[in-house]
Amino acid sequence: MKTVYFTHSLDSCWNHGNAHFLRGVMSELTARGHLAEAWEPRDAWSRANLVADHGEAGLEPYKRAYPELQSHRFDPPLDLDRALEGADLVIVHEWNDPALVAAIGRRRATGRFTLLFHDTHHRAVSEPEAMKAFDLSRYDGVLAFGETLAEVYRQWGWGDRVFVWHEAADTRLFRPPTVEQDREGLVWVGNWGDGERTAELERYLFAPTAATGLGLDLYGVRYPEAAKRMLSRYGVRYHGWLANAAAPQVFARHLATVHVPRRFYVEQLPGIPTIRVFESLACGLPLVSAPWSDSEGLFDVGRDFLMVRSSSEMAEALRALKSDPGLRAELAAHGLAAIRARHTCAHRVDELMAVLERLGAVAPSPQMEIAE
């Protein structure tokens, strides 16, 4: 099977979390003998910011981790004859130009491929009119990264052609260290964004960490000067951008991490954790989470990770992790087992194949192709 994925960027994970999951899925497809390629605009905002901050060297961690992956960069208008040549499955991410989304849909009318729209963001509830402007009339289905988002599309008339496709960890890359090393303090990897969770970060991360004296190493981008001053007040060590491919090595040096969901995913799209939850648990890193509703039962809350309801509860949980190696080991083992049992990119590729079967587009196995 040949899969073509239209993304904002495969090359860059600078403020672009979808790249994490896409790399893992494409790597898994490739390992199974399928062809997988991505197309991204040459002027992609994420890649441009990465290169501006770190030069071309900023791309090297990704290239070293995923030498098997390829991405075609294009200047609009894209030659769709070339991009879609030989495609069996085409997936278009929601962070694409609406004109391109519509043009690919028009090609579906005369093409033999299955065409899916992939939504991994909160714009369906935060900017519904912008999402409704996409012409998806010729698309075969929608992949939504959580049940509450899928329900939005059902209300828009997609019925049984919308499928829940959660993000997951690439366990070829995200795994516990082969050799344990000394660990200390907390680590948090996340972007400031537009300040939509400033109060939550202060309540559930900065203040409790300072109160426990654990120390906090923080990685991420788009931190304005006011945010950096806040970090300084709480004694947070700010390191800037971290290549996602380097995250497992950073996780391996720390005792635990914290999950602070964005407000949209607490109030309007519950049940959708950030991909960092999957990745940190896959590395055997104990995690404490601010409140969110695991409405789909993705995890065994309290065993795979701890969840707290207040700043004081967070401080109490962090003190317990600091002082109790047994608790850290128990959480690490349960969280890792949950990922390996249900939440790897291999699981998501299996789910993708099931979607194709539901749509009547069963992908041939590599063995079948060779036999023919």
Side-chain angles (χ1 to χ4, degrees), residues 11-309:
D11 288 350
S12 175
C13 61
W14 195 100
N15 201 68
H16 182 225
N18 179 245
H20 307 193
F21 181 54
L22 176 55
R23 291 167 181 175
V25 166
M26 289 185 63
S27 182
E28 178 64 25
L29 286 167
T30 301
R32 297 187 186 194
H34 300 294
L35 298 177
E37 63 184 35
W39 288 80
E40 61 181 90
R42 189 173 302 278
D43 63 351
W45 173 84
S46 174
R47 193 183 195 278
N49 277 282
L50 173 58
V51 173
D53 285 354
H54 301 278
E56 293 289 331
L59 301 169
E60 288 305 313
Y62 153 65
K63 292 180 179 178
R64 287 195 301 269
Y66 294 98
E68 73 279 15
L69 300 187
Q70 60 172 325
S71 181
H72 303 283
R73 298 171 64 205
F74 66 90
D75 294 305
L78 173 61
D79 181 353
L80 283 177
D81 287 335
R82 178 187 171 207
L84 298 173
E85 184 178 4
D88 300 295
L89 170 64
V90 177
I91 305 177
V92 182
H93 189 253
E94 51 88 21
W95 207 264
N96 272 289
D97 185 271
L100 177 61
V101 173
I104 296 171
R106 289 192 293 271
R107 291 301 181 99
R108 174 64 183 89
T110 57
R112 298 178 59 189
F113 53 84
T114 300
L115 180 58
L116 302 175
F117 186 70
H118 188 198
D119 195 340
T120 64
H121 203 261
H122 56 62
R123 288 197 299 163
V125 294
S126 61
E127 302 176 52
E129 295 309 312
M131 294 304 296
K132 289 180 180 179
F134 282 108
D135 180 5
L136 305 180
S137 58
R138 296 175 177 85
Y139 280 63
D140 296 296
V142 172
L143 301 171
F145 78 147
E147 173 59 34
T148 51
L149 181 60
E151 183 57 30
V152 172
Y153 279 92
R154 293 189 192 105
Q155 293 172 6
W156 290 350
W158 283 88
D160 61 0
R161 293 187 299 128
V162 57
F163 306 91
V164 176
W165 202 40
H166 279 284
E167 295 179 316
D170 177 4
T171 49
R172 289 186 178 85
L173 178 64
F174 287 87
R175 58 184 186 273
T178 304
V179 178
E180 275 290 340
Q181 57 184 294
D182 291 339
R183 294 174 180 259
E184 62 179 5
L186 297 180
V187 61
W188 193 75
V189 184
N191 304 318
W192 189 259
D194 301 312
E196 74 274 20
R197 55 177 169 179
T198 302
E200 290 89 343
L201 287 172
E202 188 169 18
R203 182 181 308 123
Y204 289 104
L205 183 60
F206 306 149
T209 303
T212 59
L214 265 171
L216 172 62
D217 290 294
L218 187 148
Y219 298 81
V221 299
R222 299 181 65 199
Y223 282 73
E225 288 305 314
K228 292 177 182 178
R229 288 194 294 271
M230 179 184 290
L231 299 183
S232 180
R233 288 199 305 272
Y234 284 105
V236 177
R237 297 181 290 268
Y238 176 58
H239 302 280
W241 175 72
L242 176 69
N244 193 52
Q249 290 74 40
V250 172
F251 290 164
R253 299 196 296 266
H254 292 84
L255 292 176
T257 190
V258 170
H259 173 46
V260 184
R262 297 180 186 275
R263 201 168 299 166
F264 279 112
Y265 298 120
V266 174
E267 298 176 353
Q268 294 173 277
L269 290 175
I272 303 176
T274 174
I275 195 168
R276 294 291 183 189
V277 171
F278 299 108
E279 292 174 341
S280 57
L281 295 182
C283 289
L285 186 66
L287 182 146
V288 187
S289 179
W292 64 283
S293 174
D294 184 14
S295 55
E296 296 183 58
L298 300 176
F299 297 102
D300 185 352
V301 178
R303 301 189 72 194
D304 297 338
F305 61 84
L306 303 179
M307 186 179 293
V308 299
R309 299 292 173 181

